[in-house]
Amino acid sequence: MGIALAWRNLSENRTRFIISVGGIALAILLVLSLDGIVAGSIRQVSVYIDETPFDLVVSQKGVKNLHMTTSFFDADLVDKVRRIDGVKKVTTILYTTDYLVSGDNRSVAYIIGYEQGKTGGPWMMDKGTEKLRSGEIIIDRDIAAKDKLLLGDRVTIFGRDFKIAGFTKGTVTIVNSIAYIRFDDFERLRGLRSVVSYAFVDTKTGNSPDAVMGKIKKDITQVSVQTKKEFADSERKVVSDMSADIMKIMNLIGFLIGMAALGLTVYTATLAKVREYGILKAVGSRNTWLFRVVFEQAAISTLAGTAIAFTLVLLLKAGLALSSSNILIVVGWDSFLRIAAISMMIGVMASAIPIIKILRLDPADVFRR
Amino acid sequence: MVDIAGRNLLEEKLRFIISSGGVALAIMLILILNGFFAGMNRQVSAYLDNTTADLVVSQKKVKNFLGTNSRVPLSAISKLESIKGVEKVVPLFSTYAVLAPEGRREFSLIIGFDPLKGGGPWRLTAGTSDINDDQVIVDKVIADRHGFKLGEKINILGKDFTITALSTGTSSWMTGTFFITFDAASRLLSAKDTAAFLLVTIKDKAKINDVKQEISGDLEDLTVTEKHERSANDVALYASVFNGPLRLMVIIAFLIGVMLVGATIYTATIERAREYGVLKAIGIKNHSLYLVVFEQALLASLAGFVSGVGLSYVAIFIINNLLPQFLILIEPVYVAEVFVVSLLISILASYIPVRTIAAIDPAIAFRRGA
């Protein structure tokens, strides 16, 4: 009975219902989309670590991630790592962040100097070869498409021209892409000798990565060593701390204003129907029943707004994917349910405020009021 | 007409506050989120904006200052100093690094400067910029955040440095700046006999193009740009790549904010349908009715806009006190744009519901309005 009345009362004036649901949907869309952008940005950033197979990573002492940092340590230490009990294989890369330049187009890229055919190189080729000759480079196909580059074209890194020999896919994040060159090219152009940036360690079957990590830490104190998960977490944390700090606070402000707007919309919608509630009170409806009707109306409107907002955010996500944007929107169920629950709570609370006055009235006074 | 509109609005204050409040919330949303974005771009170029140099010399084809791996041989200094019109050449290292003081990660810009030649912090709140290779100048915001005190040691890329001074105005939302000596940076970055950049000050600013041309001719392996060009390149690069999601957030906030303004005014107009019906029934002409409605919409919108701008400044004051690393800029041009758009949306949002009332016969207006 309550739900039926609540729905009839809402649908009686469709324009008003649409407007209030629309207002709620806008507020929730704001919150969901901002939250999704922040979550997506953080998710993307550890793609290189996630996709490269290794158990442990060794870096310059104190360096715990890749993003916009510098790591160089003595290559002799890599041999020491190889001799640690439980270590199966060690491969090394040279790494820095630089600009990939083609004409007037510039984009930030992780530059990886890798040893051909070993861990640390591209994990998914789209075109061309991963066996590079000196002076050749592999870049992401999305960057190539954006800058209208073909295989054989030239791009500049480290102030030197490189010929594009291959395209990878899936390496573009919100902050950069990944480009690969030969290890020896990297060494030569950066004037490096007998140093590496990171060493990827595979452990022997039956040896726990944590135990091997303990041995490396004990025997080689001049470097830092982490598990793959720690390295990836650290990478996401860095982006979260640096760029996501601003995103998080923008998200928080969006959330607070969005929820306030939602509350105001439900409050206004309830206030507009105060006469109807007064009539119900006048014909003898009990307060609990009236409360139920009002809450159900608020819940229906909020639920409808949430559903519309969720659909719209999925459309936005699909639209971004179709437009080859490197912005990823991630709306996890936990985030969606959290936002939906808070919205529902605020909606119901906002609907209670205007109705309390009516409930305090004597039924005989209602018509006058 | 304004009198009727104003009286009608103020007759039920709660309703007026609600509609103005809705507009104010939307305006706050738009201005604050855009303020973060604008402030962020301003902070990107803070170091170069505050150096006294005129030209920046880097490795060939490197046109940015931030996040690059430029290497310039130190031998270029003497060549530059011999060029007519050059007053001073300052070698510099700049690199990003993630420091982990007390376990908390701090994405940092490390500047290696020569205390005798310059290139260090432009404003200090404590200590001196005359540091040695084991000392560091830390930004005050970063120091406050981590509780760093003068004389404490912090680890930068595996080496301990003693904090001997605090700088101000050198942090941004993204990084805090750590100033160490050029020689210390050179050792940390394994970059012997090179610098990342050479900052060139010229004697006669009017002859900047001549000096620039001469440097380009004499040092073909290097790239020379004016300081502001490089700042603009940094802002453009960060705006085009790094700011993608932030820009999208600002756009979403703007669109939703504008739609919320529209929805609020639309609802407020619908709520007054009875009053407009009464006006129609007592014979008000349609153009006068529209005038009253538009005036009410504009008054509510204006009140909401003014409150929104005021509340934005209050919110910014609070945020700046809690999180001083963020610069939030309220740009007058943007405020004007938002003002115009919100007024236009308000007029449109009030026009849609009132045209129904305007179209009906005065005799049945009472019934419809009620």
Side-chain angles (χ1 to χ4, degrees), chain A residues 15 19 60 68 70 96-97 99 106 158-159 161 174-175 190 234 243 247 249 253 257 264 267-268 272, chain B residues 14 18 22 25 59-61 63-64 66 68-69 95-96 105 107 157 237 241-242 246 266-267 271 323:
Chain A
T15 312
I19 281 291
Q60 179 177 337
M68 285 196 172
T70 312
T96 192
T97 305
Y99 296 101
R106 254 177 290 183
F158 302 148
D161 282 350
I174 55 148
V175 284
R190 305 312 297 155
S234 175
S243 60
M247 294 173 89
I249 188 164
I253 289 164
I257 296 178
L264 201 66
Y267 177 88
T268 314
Chain B
L14 177 64
I18 289 172
L25 281 175
Q59 182 177 322
K60 189 81 178 169
K61 295 186 179 176
K63 292 189 174 173
N64 288 77
L66 294 173
T68 65
N69 287 284
T95 187
Y96 282 129
R105 306 203 178 288
F107 185 60
L157 298 173
L237 183 75
V241 180
F242 197 71
L246 298 182
Y266 182 92
T267 311
E271 298 307 321
L323 302 161

